[in-house]
Amino acid sequence: MIYNKPSLHLQKKLLILILFHTGVHPLILDGEFAMKKALPAIFLLFSMVPIVKSQDRARLPDEFQQAGAESNIPPAILKGIAFAETRWSHIEYPEGETVNWQGVPHQYGIMALRDDDWFGHSLTEGARLIGKKPAEVKADRFQNIRAAAAYLRMLYDQQPKPDGIAASQIESWQNAVAKYCGIPQKELALEHTLAIYSCLKNGYHDYGIAIDAMPVDVTFLKEQMKLAVKESASRSAQNAAKPNGKPDYPLAHWVSAADGHWYTTGVSRSFVVIHDMEGYYLSCISYFQNASTQASAHYCINGLQDSPSDAPAGDITQMVEEQYWAWHVVCWNKYMLGIEHEGFVSNPAWWTDKMYVESAKLVKFMCDRWSIPKDRNHIVGHGEWQNSNWVSWLKTNFPAIDATCNNHTDPGVNWDWTFFMQLVTENKTAPKVTSTPPTGKVQVYDGISIGFDQRMDRAAVQSAFSIAPAMTGGFQWSADGKTVTFKPSTIFSYKTTYAVKLDTTAVNYLSVKIDQNGDGKADSYSFSFTTVDNDTIAPSVTDVYPPKNGTDISRTADFIIAMSEPLDSVSVASGIELRDQSAVVVPMTAPASVITGNTSRISLKPIASLSPGKSYTLTVKNSIKDLAGNPLVSTVVVPFTTEPVTTFFGTVVEGVDAVGSWTQPSFSGSTVNVEATFAVVSSPKIGGSGAGKLTYRFTQASGGVMREYNSAKPTVEGGAYFGVWVYGDNSKHLLEYWIYNPSATMKFVDTVNWTGWKLKAIPVSSVPGTGRTLAGIVLKQNQGGTSSGAIYIDELTVGNIISGVTPLLPVIPTEYALEQNYPNPFNPSTTIRFALPEQSTVRLDVINALGQIVETIADREMEPGFHEVVWNAKVASGVYFCKLTAAPHSGASDRCVLTAKMILMR
């Protein structure tokens, strides 16, 4: 599951504010004091699934505007609520899941609608008000906004208006907004409302979110907030906690977990386990004090400081003494110490440099105290059971520990183990600049980047940076802290040479200075660049989908236009047009743009499905301009023809209307090098009430495999064809169906080079065996494919007749090919896939770095088609090469020899 964090952490700010008023340390919380009753309200959701793509956000202002106009609500109010609750992310959950792993009720959609007895029933009430079903309001972002607007309007009409504020003022909505959030505690609801109004007052422009600052008077709201906090502080002072112990680690605070939530006897303290909370610091501390839970950890560490009153980043609270064994890793508990870190696996931004630094100090302290080796076998993640190397090591060195008793995957692929272990081991290797200065002239709107071979102290680098002629600007850092980009506040001057310098005060987090030449002395780093004489270069279309003169284009296709540079958004809005064969304009959604580096991509689609078997023309007009006002080189005209109506006459063996037996991709051991989620959504769909959405992000340059498994194993028997409706994303990755017969056969279906719904079917006879069932729908990473995307699946069907498409035959490749093995690196087995365009004599050898054959995997005659073999390596770790030698029987050409590099890591 992918997690997302609402940005306004009122539970943290208010608890600290209240406790400071009482003179009690803000992190000393008594599990029995009155504020504990507020925990369900201050526990924000720990298991949100953000499904909004960044390019979708361009349509949001229109959606807020439409919903606001419909319910007579200022659109800014809707924007502010969505920002505070979800950061404009539409949140969905698997069907039937109503609470997070702690039992806290979920909130739904971009507007965080509720349906529970604590926060209220804004979801069902809002759905009723707009005449929609709750399921539709959960799944559809615009309907979610409409339902929220209708519900908020109802509250506004019911609630008293603040004294002295006219109905025409935006401040008149504050009582309705406070009621909307559903938080029953007055002080919490007002704090939340103040945060929303503060956002409107100050504005926000970043990460695809645009809220313009506006005149807002929050005086009355602040006065209400002060009174509510004072009342709460008075109640809390009578129940303030008294420390019942002191921390083992001198820099930590002591707050005991619920009494007895630990083992007093264990085997050893041989490991330190790194966790992430999938939530927030104070919420986690409070939760571990809950007597009804069965969880605890030795330490909790804060990730972000959300406000001046919040605990600092890297703040540490101890909750279980190190002499005991906390309940954090199931059967590993009696061997391992555990640390929880604020944050979410999907967003490394929460794991600040300061958090890493303070956590590493704590780990070093524990390792020194308990003589734990400072290496990756002893300092592990909660998801280390997925690491086959560590599992093998554990079996040898700690055979009593069952590595497979855990199933959590935190802290995930975004945890920076290299940086963390550098801090723990105090590796003082000097940093170096790895980037190269610009060689050509730089565009005036570009930023200037400097890359390093390790994470750097951001403040020190920014202080060491200078540019002449002087320019004001800001700094943007990559998530891994290795690349900094200076972005000028205004554009650079044309035809000007700038000198950039980092002086010797630039250091890493161990205070080691740059040593560029390796002589052991600190070096400064400098370069110069020259801007373009003028931006006279016109933008151009570099790619477009559908392709020019494309045929069989899905009637539900998304149009994607790649451009050579960033564009003026106003000109884009009126610069793209779709006409049918009668030259009638076809309505489309507003274009959404995503800028990546110096390029941009525009996406949009027809509002309604196109007609079958008809000609259309997509026109990208030369009225579109870049940021300097240069028009497109020329108008681009893309004629295409839609596919006919496709009908599959057969039996639907899986309608994908509910999660049911579908698992998350991570459930399958075949899923590698990818972060992916599966959810059933109500739109888009082919039939029934839903369709399956597979959202993915490949984490490596190659070798990624996403397998979606249905444990019910739907049959593929009973007809000549087995097919799935697949909504493509034009990612260029490989789609396969894996079928049990009874062993697994991997069947290549197609390259995902389309958008919209298409039926993708295979002849059942192309899979040998009997009793065939579906073993998985698989997306394999293909070289040149996109790094992330989403596809949908629906209506898995078996039948004999398919109308409207070319007769389906077994797929025969057009040329010899040897794909990259997967997984890669691997241990001990890997799959090698190759293609034969005709019957050939095939030899497949594994060769070591010295050119010696270490094993011949295959040496026989093979039929044309796609083939796979598994190599179970019995050799030492190292680099090997797979060599395919194929001699075609036709004699039409010489033999084909192909090689691919493989890495074995034991």
Side-chain angles (χ1 to χ4, degrees):
M1 184 172 289
I2 295 176
Y3 300 87
N4 183 45
K5 180 176 185 177
S7 61
L8 297 175
H9 316 307
L10 59 102
Q11 78 283 16
K12 296 168 64 175
K13 294 187 283 188
L14 187 61
L15 277 174
I16 293 175
L17 183 61
I18 291 171
L19 292 171
F20 268 128
H21 274 282
T22 68
V24 178
H25 190 285
L27 298 180
I28 298 173
L29 307 178
D30 185 347
E32 300 301 322
F33 82 149
M35 279 298 289
K36 182 177 177 182
K37 297 178 181 178
L39 291 183
I42 62 175
F43 278 154
L44 296 183
L45 304 181
F46 285 7
S47 56
M48 300 177 180
V49 183
I51 65 170
V52 155
K53 298 179 182 179
S54 58
Q55 59 264 36
D56 292 331
R57 285 185 170 158
R59 304 187 185 103
L60 272 171
D62 288 341
E63 294 176 358
F64 288 131
Q65 188 73 34
Q66 292 176 45
E70 179 183 16
S71 295
N72 194 20
I73 294 177
I77 291 286
L78 300 176
K79 288 183 178 182
I81 291 174
F83 177 85
E85 299 284 2
T86 67
R87 275 297 197 268
W88 289 16
S89 292
H90 188 72
I91 304 166
E92 291 186 52
Y93 303 93
E95 185 175 329
E97 183 183 317
T98 59
V99 298
N100 69 12
W101 66 280
Q102 296 178 354
V104 182
H106 281 327
Q107 58 188 23
Y108 300 98
I110 187 172
M111 302 302 294
L113 294 171
R114 307 279 193 169
D115 190 22
D116 61 84
D117 292 336
W118 181 267
F119 294 106
H121 300 276
S122 55
L123 172 71
T124 52
E125 187 65 15
R128 181 189 65 80
L129 290 169
I130 65 171
K132 296 291 183 181
K133 296 179 180 179
E136 294 179 82
V137 174
K138 285 182 182 180
D140 188 285
R141 186 180 71 188
F142 181 54
Q143 300 306 328
N144 193 269
I145 298 172
R146 288 186 64 227
Y151 179 70
L152 185 61
R153 180 73 221 186
M154 182 188 75
L155 295 177
Y156 181 78
D157 293 337
Q158 294 173 349
Q159 297 296 309
K161 307 303 180 289
D163 294 338
I165 297 178
S168 60
Q169 295 176 268
I170 197 168
E171 292 86 353
S172 69
W173 288 83
Q174 57 191 252
N175 289 344
V177 172
K179 188 70 174 177
Y180 173 93
C181 71
I183 300 174
Q185 291 80 12
K186 182 179 180 181
E187 66 276 7
L188 291 175
L190 288 172
E191 170 74 6
H192 193 54
T193 305
L194 179 59
I196 292 171
Y197 273 86
S198 296
C199 174
L200 300 180
K201 180 180 176 68
N202 299 323
Y204 186 90
H205 287 265
D206 209 349
Y207 301 104
I209 298 173
I211 300 177
D212 293 331
M214 59 190 302
V216 177
D217 186 356
V218 295
T219 304
F220 180 77
L221 193 53
K222 285 184 176 180
E223 289 302 317
Q224 285 187 300
M225 180 66 202
K226 287 180 181 178
L227 289 174
V229 168
K230 187 175 181 180
E231 292 173 2
S232 181
S234 177
R235 294 192 304 269
S236 301
Q238 301 173 21
N239 301 291
K242 180 182 178 181
N244 58 358
K246 62 179 182 179
D248 295 304
Y249 181 56
L251 299 181
H253 315 291
W254 171 257
V255 178
S256 177
D259 188 39
H261 282 204
W262 52 78
Y263 297 119
T264 57
T265 60
V267 179
S268 64
R269 297 170 191 83
S270 303
F271 302 85
V272 177
V273 181
I274 303 300
H275 302 268
D276 83 275
M277 296 174 185
E278 293 306 321
Y280 319 120
Y281 183 47
L282 286 184
S283 292
C284 189
I285 294 170
S286 299
Y287 175 68
F288 285 157
Q289 297 177 79
N290 188 339
S292 64
T293 66
Q294 295 295 313
S296 63
H298 291 90
Y299 293 94
C300 296
I301 300 183
N302 195 29
L304 280 170
Q305 183 173 31
D306 305 310
S307 69
S309 61
D310 186 17
D315 195 79
I316 301 174
T317 297
Q318 183 174 4
M319 304 199 71
V320 174
E321 295 179 59
E322 291 181 17
Q323 66 172 317
Y324 301 135
W325 288 265
W327 297 345
H328 59 114
V329 279
V330 197
C331 72
W332 302 353
N333 284 329
K334 293 195 173 185
Y335 299 83
M336 306 187 182
L337 301 164
I339 307 173
E340 288 278 1
H341 297 78
E342 181 187 44
F344 301 80
V345 294
S346 63
N347 190 350
W350 297 110
W351 299 328
T352 57
D353 294 350
K354 182 64 173 175
M355 183 214 68
Y356 277 118
V357 169
E358 297 305 320
S359 179
K361 290 179 182 177
L362 171 61
V363 170
K364 182 178 182 299
F365 170 85
M366 289 192 291
C367 288
D368 289 341
R369 183 182 186 194
W370 300 105
S371 299
I372 301 173
K374 299 185 187 77
D375 60 44
R376 282 287 284 114
N377 283 328
H378 295 84
I379 302 171
V380 299
H382 196 177
E384 211 70 42
W385 57 272
Q386 297 176 304
N387 179 351
S388 58
N389 290 336
W390 183 75
V391 172
S392 298
W393 177 89
L394 194 68
K395 287 180 179 179
T396 301
N397 294 277
F398 290 85
I401 302 179
D402 177 9
T404 64
C405 73
N406 277 279
N407 59 8
H408 285 214
T409 58
D410 57 305
V413 297
N414 288 318
W415 184 266
D416 192 341
W417 282 108
T418 301
F419 176 53
F420 189 63
M421 294 305 295
Q422 176 192 22
L423 296 173
V424 171
T425 60
E426 297 183 316
N427 181 346
K428 294 194 175 182
T429 301
K432 293 183 178 181
V433 174
T434 56
S435 59
T436 56
T439 54
K441 292 190 175 182
V442 173
Q443 279 287 0
V444 292
Y445 52 77
D446 284 350
I448 298 300
S449 298
I450 303 174
F452 306 89
D453 65 352
Q454 54 184 270
R455 191 181 292 240
M456 299 294 289
D457 184 320
R458 302 184 187 205
V461 170
Q462 291 171 197
S463 177
F465 179 93
S466 62
I467 186 168
M471 290 285 295
T472 60
F475 296 91
Q476 296 177 356
W477 284 85
S478 60
D480 64 4
K482 294 181 180 179
T483 302
V484 61
T485 301
F486 173 76
K487 299 286 287 188
S489 301
T490 58
I491 63 174
F492 289 115
S493 298
Y494 286 104
K495 202 175 182 180
T496 301
T497 298
Y498 289 87
V500 174
K501 182 179 179 180
L502 283 182
D503 65 35
T504 56
T505 60
V507 296
N508 67 10
Y509 279 99
L510 292 171
S511 299
V512 182
K513 298 181 178 182
I514 295 172
D515 181 6
Q516 199 67 14
N517 57 14
D519 64 357
K521 299 178 181 179
D523 295 321
S524 61
Y525 177 78
S526 60
F527 65 91
S528 61
F529 66 92
T530 302
T531 55
V532 294
D533 296 345
N534 201 346
D535 184 4
T536 58
I537 302 174
S540 60
V541 175
T542 58
D543 193 19
V544 64
Y545 185 88
K548 190 172 184 178
N549 299 318
T551 59
D552 289 330
I553 302 302
S554 170
R555 296 187 295 120
T556 56
D558 298 310
F559 301 154
I560 301 172
I561 304 161
M563 307 294 290
S564 62
E565 58 178 297
L567 303 174
D568 170 57
S569 59
V570 175
S571 67
V572 171
S574 59
I576 303 174
E577 185 178 78
L578 179 67
R579 292 180 181 267
D580 63 18
Q581 57 190 12
S582 300
V584 176
V585 173
V586 178
M588 293 191 293
T589 59
S593 297
V594 174
I595 297 174
T596 304
N598 293 331
T599 65
S600 61
R601 190 182 75 161
I602 304 167
S603 61
L604 68 169
K605 68 179 301 172
I607 291 176
S609 296
L610 301 177
S611 299
K614 300 295 184 181
S615 297
Y616 289 86
T617 302
L618 179 69
T619 302
V620 184
K621 302 177 184 179
N622 63 357
S623 59
I624 291 177
K625 299 177 181 179
D626 65 14
L627 298 178
N630 299 308
L632 195 65
V633 173
S634 60
T635 294
V636 176
V637 178
V638 182
F640 66 91
T641 304
T642 57
E643 63 182 357
V645 173
T646 302
T647 305
F648 192 176
F649 299 92
T651 301
V652 176
V653 296
E654 170 58 54
V656 204
D657 294 327
V659 172
S661 301
W662 293 102
T663 65
Q664 289 300 319
S666 59
F667 175 84
S668 171
S670 302
T671 296
V672 293
N673 295 340
V674 66
E675 293 175 346
T677 59
F678 175 84
V680 172
V681 296
S682 61
S683 178
K685 65 183 179 183
I686 287 292
S689 61
K693 181 178 183 181
L694 283 160
T695 305
Y696 62 91
R697 181 179 75 87
F698 289 113
T699 58
Q700 304 294 331
S702 63
V705 177
M706 176 179 68
R707 179 190 179 198
E708 179 53 30
Y709 173 68
N710 188 314
S711 60
K713 300 178 182 178
T715 182
V716 299
E717 302 280 9
Y721 300 105
F722 168 71
V724 179
W725 285 93
V726 181
Y727 193 109
D729 58 359
N730 199 39
S731 63
K732 304 301 190 295
H733 298 304
L734 307 178
L735 176 69
E736 293 185 350
Y737 302 154
W738 290 6
I739 297 173
Y740 291 121
N741 61 339
S743 60
T745 293
M746 303 173 186
K747 186 67 182 175
F748 172 74
V749 179
D750 206 346
T751 300
V752 184
N753 56 6
W754 75 92
T755 65
W757 286 112
K758 276 186 172 291
L759 176 67
K760 294 298 172 180
I762 60 170
V764 175
S765 61
S766 65
V767 180
T770 58
R772 290 161 286 205
T773 58
L774 181 67
I777 296 174
V778 177
L779 197 68
K780 286 185 178 178
Q781 189 175 11
N782 195 21
Q783 188 173 5
T786 61
S787 62
S788 62
I791 63 172
Y792 300 80
I793 58 174
D794 202 7
E795 300 289 272
L796 283 61
T797 305
V798 175
N800 294 315
I801 302 175
I802 300 176
S803 65
V805 297
T806 304
L808 297 166
L809 298 172
V811 179
I812 303 298
T814 58
E815 59 184 11
Y816 289 99
L818 174 63
E819 296 181 8
Q820 182 66 57
N821 63 301
Y822 65 91
N824 190 46
F826 64 96
N827 177 31
S829 62
T830 188
T831 300
I832 301 167
R833 191 169 189 267
F834 55 95
L836 307 175
E838 57 181 296
Q839 189 173 1
S840 306
T841 299
V842 174
R843 181 182 174 98
L844 203 62
D845 294 315
V846 176
I847 299 171
N848 62 20
L850 299 177
Q852 301 166 325
I853 296 175
V854 298
E855 186 173 341
T856 298
I857 305 174
D859 189 5
R860 64 181 186 276
E861 184 177 308
M862 295 186 183
E863 297 296 321
F866 293 91
H867 299 266
E868 288 185 345
V869 295
V870 176
W871 181 42
N872 190 12
K874 298 180 176 61
V875 292
S877 298
V879 176
Y880 295 88
F881 297 88
C882 177
K883 178 181 178 182
L884 171 71
T885 305
H889 280 201
S890 66
S893 62
D894 295 333
R895 68 177 184 169
C896 176
V897 179
L898 301 169
T899 60
K901 182 179 179 180
M902 305 185 296
I903 301 175
L904 172 60
M905 296 180 63
R906 293 193 181 277

